[in-house]
Amino acid sequence: MSISDELAKLAELHERGTLSAEEYARAKERVLGGGAAGASAAAGSFAGNAIPAINEFKRSRDDRWLGGVCGGLAQLTATPTWLWRLMFSLLTICAGSGLLVYLLLWIFVPEES
């Protein structure tokens, strides 16, 4: 994608109100200074926020039924805990993968201090 295409997309996002004036200015500066890689991060892509979010992910001590995984995900993503519990339950019932993912998260994600 060319720089002009990136700038056009940023302008469109700014016109829609998705980006504030300050965010638009920073994103435009990144596109002009850093090429296409900076534009996707500036436009709010997941890759720009993934590493800090992963480092903040901890199992909950207060909001837990089993291991606190759903409570930790709820704190991290600002979604209700019951939604995460429902999602893991449905994945367990439908494909069996929900139980495996939950157990792996329970083992490898540290508990909040």
Side-chain angles (χ1 to χ4, degrees):
M1 184 176 280
S2 70
I3 293 177
S4 61
D5 292 337
E6 293 285 339
L7 290 174
K9 283 189 176 189
L10 287 173
E12 182 182 341
L13 289 172
H14 179 61
E15 288 172 9
R16 280 196 230 157
T18 306
L19 293 175
S20 67
E22 180 181 316
E23 292 170 330
Y24 174 70
R26 280 186 284 157
K28 186 176 174 183
E29 181 179 317
R30 285 182 192 161
V31 169
L32 294 175
S40 62
S45 72
F46 180 73
N49 300 326
I51 301 301
I54 290 172
N55 290 336
E56 293 174 10
F57 181 36
K58 307 277 189 232
R59 290 185 295 127
S60 176
R61 291 185 136 202
D62 302 326
D63 188 8
R64 66 187 311 164
W65 282 3
L66 292 174
V69 173
C70 293
L73 284 169
Q75 290 173 356
L76 182 68
T77 60
T79 56
T81 308
W82 65 266
L83 188 62
W84 284 106
R85 290 183 180 127
L86 177 66
M87 198 165 64
F88 277 113
S89 300
L90 291 175
L91 283 173
T92 300
I93 291 169
C94 294
S97 62
L99 183 62
L100 176 67
V101 171
Y102 190 90
L103 287 174
L104 289 173
L105 288 173
W106 192 352
I107 292 169
F108 291 111
V109 173
E111 191 172 51
E112 66 185 2
S113 54

